[in-house]
Amino acid sequence: AAGDDLPPHVFAIAERAYRKAALRLFALCDDEELQADQSILISGESGTGKTETLKLTIGFLAAASGASGPPGASAAGGAGHTISIAISATNPLLEAFGNARTLRNDNSSRFGKHVALSFGRRSHACALVRAELRMYMLERSRVTSPAADERSFHIFYQLLAGGRALGVGP
C-alpha cells in the first residue's frame, strides 16, 4: 500500500487498525487478515514517549469512533470520548504505584500495560464501547532494593510526604 515504506506514525497505525476493525465489524470484507483482532504494540526505551503514544492512539481511536471534543472536555463527546478520558485519568495512579526515579529517567515505568479496546456498532459507525486495562509489574526488586542513586516506587515517597503534611511520622 502507499506509504508502507515510510517510518511508522502513531495516527497512521491507529487509523489502519480502526479501519480494519470497522470492516470486520460490518463484515464488509472477506479478507482473511481481517478475521483476526487488531493489535498495536507500543514499545521503546526509557523516556521515549510510550505513555504519550498510548494517549494519542486512544484519543485517535475515540475520535475516529465518533467521540468529539478535545481531551479533557466534558463527557458530552460520546462513550468513546468518555472511555478515552477514563483511561487517561488512570495514568497518575498507575504511575504512582509503578514508576520510579532511575538514573536515566525521573519517572521511569517499571510496569507494562495491556489495554484492550472493544468496538461495537452504534448507528452506522464503528464505536469505541469498552476498554480494559491490565498492569503487569516488571521489576518487583525495586520495592526492596533499588540501585544506588535510584528510588523505589513513587507511592512510598508520596505516602511519607502525605503523613508529614498531616503531622504523622518522622
Side-chain angles (χ1 to χ4, degrees):
D4 283 347
D5 56 339
L6 297 174
H9 188 278
V10 62
F11 297 131
I13 291 169
E15 190 275 332
R16 186 174 185 182
Y18 176 78
R19 187 172 8 98
K20 288 184 178 187
L23 289 173
R24 179 178 182 213
L25 184 64
F26 288 95
L28 297 174
C29 185
D30 293 330
D31 188 343
E32 285 186 29
E33 182 182 345
L34 297 178
Q35 299 307 312
D37 290 339
Q38 299 301 306
S39 297
I40 299 172
L41 177 65
I42 300 171
S43 65
E45 295 291 324
S46 177
T48 58
K50 295 175 294 293
T51 299
E52 290 304 313
T53 300
L54 175 64
K55 289 178 194 175
L56 290 170
T57 301
I58 292 171
F60 178 91
L61 292 169
S65 71
S68 61
S74 72
H81 185 61
T82 303
I83 290 169
S84 174
I85 290 171
I87 292 171
S88 293
T90 65
N91 275 328
L93 182 63
L94 292 176
E95 288 180 0
F97 281 95
N99 286 19
R101 182 171 61 201
T102 66
L103 295 175
R104 293 182 64 188
N105 187 341
D106 282 344
N107 198 35
S108 182
S109 63
R110 309 287 90 201
F111 64 95
K113 282 189 250 183
H114 177 262
V115 181
L117 303 176
S118 298
F119 291 86
R121 290 181 183 201
R122 195 161 281 153
S123 287
H124 298 290
C126 177
L128 178 59
V129 295
R130 182 173 172 267
E132 180 180 333
L133 189 137
R134 290 189 179 149
M135 188 169 118
Y136 299 93
M137 190 57 58
L138 302 177
E139 295 189 43
R140 290 185 176 105
S141 63
R142 256 186 224 286
V143 173
T144 57
S145 53
D149 296 326
E150 292 190 353
R151 293 186 355 168
S152 186
F153 298 108
H154 295 324
I155 191 66
F156 299 125
Y157 304 96
Q158 291 167 345
L159 288 171
L160 289 172
R164 282 189 210 110
L166 294 173
V168 179

